[in-house]
Amino acid sequence: MTPPPRRRRPGASGATPSHSFPRRGEIRRAQAITTYGVGSLIAVDHESFVVSGLDEADRSWRPDESPRIYERRLARLLDVDHFRLPPASDDTSKDGLRVRRFPLMHSCPECNELQHHRDFNPPAGRSVCGACEVDLVPSRFVVACEAGHLGEFPYWQWVHRSSDRGSTTVGKCGGKLRLRTSGRTSSLRSILVSCTCGRAEVSMEGSFRRNALKDLGLKCRGHRPWLGTSAPDQECGLLLRTLQRGSSSVWQPVLKSALSIPPWSHSREDPLAGHWEKLRKHETREAVGIYLDAVFPEGAWPLSLDEVLTLLAAEREEDPVEGEPATFDHRYHALRNKEYERLRSGNDESEHSRDEQFVCETPLGDPSVLLPLGITGPMLVKKLREVRALKAFTRLVDAESTTDAKEMPLSQEPLRWLPAMEVRGEGVFLRLDEERLNTWEKAIAVAARVERIRTAHQRVLDQRADDPDRALPSPATPRLVLLHTLAHVLVNEWSLEAGYPAASLRERLYAADDMAGVLIYTATSDSAGSLGGLVAQGEPNLLDATLRSAVRRAQWCSSDPLCMETEVSATGTNLAACHACVMLPETSCEHNNILLDRALLVGTPDDPSVGFFQHILAN
């Protein structure tokens, strides 16, 4: 990673000398999407930085280190032309992600001064106190609002706040701030801030209260430090909240992903990226051919005319149905629906070339052995490609429950691309028997149990929304909670029996009125699970044994009876689920380890009938 470029004086010849930026650590490319994306804070040694926006990335991201990625279905959903892989940041890379120093308020552990970084007069390229020659400590505290803005903690106002409650009088005393710790406890009460003007020393206790900064008369001014000083502040006015610099609430990525499925599952259509919207305007075969002749040299079409027409027809199939709202959620559901159809129908490798990126075949064994379990249609996904794109980010609010109004874009000006990564791997797809599922989810006890989860989750969504009337509805249904919990126990079982780290596997749920399936696939871009071992687990005989073992294992938890009999979890969005039984690493779960209940798999001691797989235990 490197800091952003600074303007430099021209040399004797009038040309601006080349930049030589110091490096400040390394991150993996995948982390630039999931952990340290644009707008996030990253600690490197004793320094702290914010990852810069993408406005300068077209110039700083070298094409050879940041290649383009194409996935038309996802690009259309996110209204971009293509994606780009973030540049590497190791010692062999020419450049890397640009970062800016943040927060700017630092303290010196030797002289206890608390001030702007530049006021310490540090030597160039170092972060030390100019007087004491010791490493400076970045502020542990920052402020943020739910619109995604980020700012410095107002130490001056905090120290000089009036002792009269409700008063916001702050005087410019001309003194200097100081910060020290008493060492008596590890709580905020031991962090003390004072001013040389003689103001009484105050602790940081109470600074995390929801209205702590509101009581000082402070509201968000729309700071966006990741975009640099050239980005004007936005009128905001929302409530500011104090956060620890390393808190997960400071930055949450908004990730969207898609599988490459036929007819988009080969790379020969990549040269047509950026032309599809214009091609769609042509209704006839002749008009499409004329356009291709105008764009590409004679005889150099990347695809035949029939193939282009097939792709256009496939794209139109995902268009919103007339009369239905063309919202982002509806379009994303259409994208998932097409994946579900393709996973059901398969795509035999023998019928395609080696360039095919999606191979999904029926297992060789007899799938009927799974019917007594309520499982049908297992498929072996021998090759798959998933593209995950960073659409935006949020602060303070859960990215899965947010609206577009609370998503902060990655650049000041709209761009026609987004950072993304691609994962190539394998997986196992299975479906639940629709007839048995319909009967089970209509049971009164099942509906009542899931209603408790849905009510708790909806309460959380309402609390996070500015307007409860516009809060997103909870997706919790018996079908979703069952599929979600089943996916978790299968991942845990394969991590024990087949040698896969749980973090190397990932779930992809297909839960709706017309879908009831789950895909479990390799989720990392390294070698974990890339040698065919996961596909082998999808053979009916092995899958039958795995499912029976997973269900029996889910019958008991080391936290029982507390786990099974709990009325509500700590988060309020799970029932019988904890880290000792069904929870997974966050990177493996689509719903951040919520909407889980293993009782829907195995039943409860008082009512075994709520378990979809209860008959396995009875036998």
Side-chain angles (χ1 to χ4, degrees):
M1 297 178 296
T2 57
R6 297 180 180 177
R7 293 184 177 180
R8 307 182 70 181
R9 295 181 180 179
S13 61
T16 302
S18 60
H19 297 285
S20 179
F21 299 126
R23 293 189 179 276
R24 289 291 188 266
E26 299 179 7
I27 62 171
R28 299 189 301 273
R29 280 171 159 166
Q31 289 180 307
I33 302 295
T34 58
T35 311
Y36 300 122
V38 172
S40 65
L41 297 182
I42 178 171
V44 181
D45 296 329
H46 59 277
E47 298 182 81
S48 175
F49 302 93
V50 61
V51 180
S52 298
L54 300 180
D55 293 288
E56 298 177 351
D58 280 327
R59 296 187 296 273
S60 63
W61 289 18
R62 296 166 57 95
D64 57 334
E65 293 189 347
S66 178
R68 292 188 176 189
I69 298 174
Y70 298 97
E71 171 47 54
R72 172 58 186 167
R73 298 169 63 245
L74 185 61
R76 184 187 175 207
L77 176 73
L78 300 177
D79 193 26
V80 295
D81 294 332
H82 61 275
F83 305 97
R84 293 188 68 178
L85 185 68
S89 60
D90 53 28
D91 292 336
T92 61
S93 62
K94 300 292 193 305
D95 207 324
L97 294 179
R98 299 291 174 91
V99 296
R100 304 175 187 274
R101 188 178 299 280
F102 187 86
L104 297 177
M105 292 296 290
H106 284 60
S107 62
C108 174
E110 187 72 23
C111 62
N112 293 333
E113 289 196 2
L114 173 66
Q115 58 189 359
H116 195 285
H117 183 268
R118 64 169 178 267
D119 294 333
F120 283 99
N121 296 317
R126 299 182 62 192
S127 181
V128 298
C129 177
C132 305
E133 290 291 328
V134 297
D135 293 335
L136 295 175
V137 179
S139 169
R140 285 177 52 187
F141 310 104
V142 296
V143 296
C145 77
E146 291 189 354
H149 300 118
L150 183 69
E152 305 274 355
F153 181 82
Y155 288 102
W156 193 282
Q157 286 87 341
W158 185 252
V159 172
H160 292 82
R161 68 185 187 273
S162 173
S163 58
D164 297 330
R165 186 172 182 177
S167 175
T168 58
T169 303
V170 177
K172 294 295 183 180
C173 61
K176 290 187 177 182
L177 296 176
R178 295 185 179 276
L179 182 146
R180 70 179 183 89
T181 58
S182 66
R184 295 178 180 177
T185 68
S186 58
S187 66
L188 293 175
R189 184 178 298 180
S190 294
I191 303 176
L192 305 172
V193 187
S194 61
C195 181
T196 57
C197 71
R199 192 74 177 184
E201 192 174 52
V202 298
S203 74
M204 291 296 295
E205 187 177 24
S207 59
F208 282 76
R209 288 189 299 107
R210 184 175 184 86
N211 293 322
L213 301 182
K214 181 181 179 181
D215 293 342
L216 296 180
L218 300 176
K219 292 184 178 180
C220 181
R221 298 175 59 185
H223 293 312
R224 296 176 293 172
W226 61 94
L227 298 180
T229 56
S230 61
D233 292 342
Q234 295 179 327
E235 292 296 331
C236 183
L238 291 180
L239 180 69
L240 282 172
R241 295 283 302 277
T242 303
L243 297 171
Q244 295 228 41
R245 176 163 45 90
S247 169
S248 60
S249 298
V250 172
W251 189 83
Q252 290 279 345
V254 179
L255 298 173
K256 299 299 176 184
S257 65
L259 301 181
S260 297
I261 60 173
W264 303 94
S265 53
H266 52 77
S267 59
R268 292 187 297 120
E269 73 273 3
D270 290 352
L272 289 171
H275 296 285
W276 292 110
E277 294 301 328
K278 295 179 181 178
L279 283 167
R280 289 195 55 168
K281 296 178 181 178
H282 300 286
E283 299 292 339
T284 65
R285 181 186 183 92
E286 292 75 13
V288 172
I290 292 173
Y291 179 86
L292 293 174
D293 275 332
V295 174
F296 297 97
E298 184 177 356
W301 292 4
L303 299 172
S304 67
L305 183 56
D306 288 336
E307 289 176 313
V308 173
L309 293 174
T310 299
L311 291 171
L312 287 172
E315 183 169 293
R316 291 190 177 100
E317 288 181 3
E318 295 188 26
D319 287 344
V321 178
E322 186 175 354
E324 291 186 356
T327 63
F328 183 89
D329 290 337
H330 280 81
R331 290 185 289 127
Y332 196 49
H333 175 77
L335 180 145
R336 287 291 187 104
N337 194 284
K338 285 297 178 183
E339 292 178 4
Y340 183 72
E341 292 178 4
R342 178 52 67 173
L343 286 166
R344 289 186 61 177
S345 60
N347 192 42
D348 198 306
E349 184 176 22
S350 62
E351 301 175 2
H352 302 278
S353 66
R354 290 187 176 182
D355 295 332
E356 179 63 43
Q357 298 171 338
F358 181 83
V359 176
C360 182
E361 299 178 351
T362 304
L364 297 177
D366 183 8
S368 63
V369 300
L370 298 172
L371 291 179
L373 303 180
I375 301 296
T376 185
M379 298 295 286
L380 309 181
V381 187
K382 295 184 176 180
K383 289 175 65 176
L384 65 79
R385 173 181 179 260
E386 181 196 18
V387 176
R388 301 177 196 159
L390 178 61
K391 176 177 179 278
F393 64 87
T394 64
R395 305 195 196 277
L396 294 173
V397 295
D398 183 6
E400 294 295 325
S401 62
T402 187
T403 58
D404 289 342
K406 292 186 178 181
E407 292 180 358
M408 180 61 69
L410 307 181
S411 59
Q412 185 175 350
E413 300 295 332
L415 298 177
R416 296 303 301 168
W417 62 275
L418 289 172
M421 61 176 290
E422 58 181 351
V423 176
R424 299 175 187 270
E426 60 194 18
V428 175
F429 174 74
L430 55 87
R431 293 182 288 124
L432 298 183
D433 182 81
E434 283 285 353
E435 184 177 351
R436 178 179 294 184
L437 180 61
N438 288 333
T439 302
W440 172 84
E441 62 187 355
K442 291 177 182 177
I444 296 177
V446 171
R449 193 169 179 90
V450 175
E451 180 61 23
R452 288 158 56 191
I453 298 177
R454 192 204 65 79
T455 302
H457 189 217
Q458 191 62 56
R459 188 184 306 116
V460 173
L461 296 177
D462 292 343
Q463 291 172 351
R464 292 172 175 170
D466 291 334
D467 183 1
D469 294 333
R470 299 180 59 187
L472 296 176
S474 171
T477 62
R479 183 172 302 214
L480 173 64
V481 179
L482 174 63
L483 284 167
H484 192 198
T485 312
L486 175 62
H488 277 227
V489 299
L490 281 175
V491 170
N492 280 328
E493 189 68 21
W494 278 328
S495 70
L496 295 171
E497 299 295 334
Y500 289 95
S504 73
L505 301 178
R506 183 174 171 86
E507 67 181 8
R508 193 169 181 86
L509 305 178
Y510 299 90
D513 293 338
D514 52 348
M515 296 189 293
V518 58
L519 170 67
I520 298 176
Y521 60 104
T522 52
T524 60
S525 54
D526 60 16
S527 60
S530 62
L531 301 178
L534 181 59
V535 167
Q537 301 300 315
E539 287 294 338
N541 290 332
L542 275 176
L543 187 56
D544 175 73
T546 298
L547 281 164
R548 292 179 184 275
S549 175
V551 171
R552 291 192 178 96
R553 199 182 301 274
Q555 189 181 15
W556 182 85
C557 171
S558 60
S559 297
D560 280 339
L562 181 63
C563 178
M564 179 60 75
E565 296 178 359
T566 183
E567 293 296 320
V568 64
S569 68
T571 60
T573 50
N574 290 329
L575 285 181
C578 69
H579 287 285
C581 50
V582 299
M583 287 190 177
L584 293 178
E586 294 289 344
T587 54
S588 299
C589 179
E590 280 197 309
H591 292 283
N592 296 322
N593 274 330
I594 64 173
L595 309 182
L596 294 166
D597 182 13
R598 61 189 172 91
L600 297 186
L601 297 179
V602 300
T604 65
D606 296 332
D607 190 359
S609 65
V610 300
F612 184 83
F613 297 103
Q614 188 275 334
H615 60 284
I616 296 178
L617 304 174
N619 294 332

